Amino acid sequence: MSVNCLIAYCSMSGNTEEIAETIGEGIRKAGANVDIKDILMVDVKDLLDYDGILLGAYTWGDGDLPDEFLDFYDDMDQISLKGKKAVAFGSCDSSYEHRGGAVDRLTEKLVELEADLVLTGLKIDLSPTEAEKEQCVQFGIDFVEKVGLGD
């Protein structure tokens, strides 16, 4: 059985994109398929076509989602993710009071839509270090193992 995961993200400086790509490496290592797409290239109904959903965003302003994620976020109310395995991730900046607020908002939305959260959201400060890249790969592997998607 071929299992498919979607990583949908938005990135301004490239940090969240790098995190997404590195998590994708882990998903592939664990034996699952993964599509990695910019959030502007994803329709909310596309989420229904995947077994595993990983949403990534950098945190903007006072713990907010970035503008380019807002339409998608609002459109998510049109669907139910009941039975879908999901998690959120993103780049953060610990110098702000609401570190990783976008990850928290996405996590709350996934819960609201009845997705099955299989891991705690991943927050990486700015650009991932080598150790954090290893953490991202492991996050992808863990995601696949938690949902039983591996070979």
Side-chain angles (χ1 to χ4, degrees):
M1 176 175 126
S2 179
V3 174
N4 295 310
C5 296
L6 172 66
I7 298 176
Y9 70 91
C10 65
S11 188
M12 182 170 61
S13 62
N15 294 339
T16 303
E17 181 178 15
E18 184 177 8
I19 294 165
E21 294 288 344
T22 310
I23 291 171
E25 288 176 31
I27 289 173
R28 288 185 192 102
K29 271 189 179 181
N33 299 317
V34 62
D35 291 331
I36 304 172
K37 298 180 180 182
D38 185 287
I39 198 66
L40 297 175
M41 301 291 115
V42 181
D43 183 280
V44 73
K45 290 182 176 87
D46 293 345
L47 299 181
L48 303 175
D49 297 333
Y50 291 88
D51 306 299
I53 301 162
L54 301 92
L55 299 179
Y58 61 93
T59 299
W60 184 251
D62 193 27
D64 298 320
L65 284 170
D67 286 347
E68 61 268 36
F69 214 108
L70 293 178
D71 287 341
F72 186 90
Y73 181 86
D74 291 340
D75 289 348
M76 287 176 73
D77 289 334
Q78 302 171 15
I79 62 171
S80 168
L81 294 177
K82 189 170 185 135
K84 298 288 184 182
K85 311 301 184 192
V87 73
F89 68 92
S91 60
C92 311
D93 188 338
S94 58
S95 65
Y96 287 92
E97 179 184 354
H98 299 285
R99 178 184 180 267
V103 175
D104 299 334
R105 291 210 34 213
L106 289 173
T107 298
E108 290 165 9
K109 180 63 84 174
L110 290 167
V111 168
E112 183 182 313
L113 298 176
E114 300 183 304
D116 181 11
L117 293 180
V118 296
L119 295 171
T120 301
L122 178 66
K123 299 177 182 181
I124 301 287
D125 269 7
L126 307 174
S127 181
T129 63
E130 285 307 312
E132 288 169 333
K133 286 179 187 176
E134 290 176 24
Q135 182 184 359
C136 291
V137 170
Q138 190 61 52
F139 188 79
I141 293 169
D142 291 346
F143 180 78
V144 173
E145 289 176 354
K146 289 278 187 192
V147 297
L149 302 178
D151 290 341

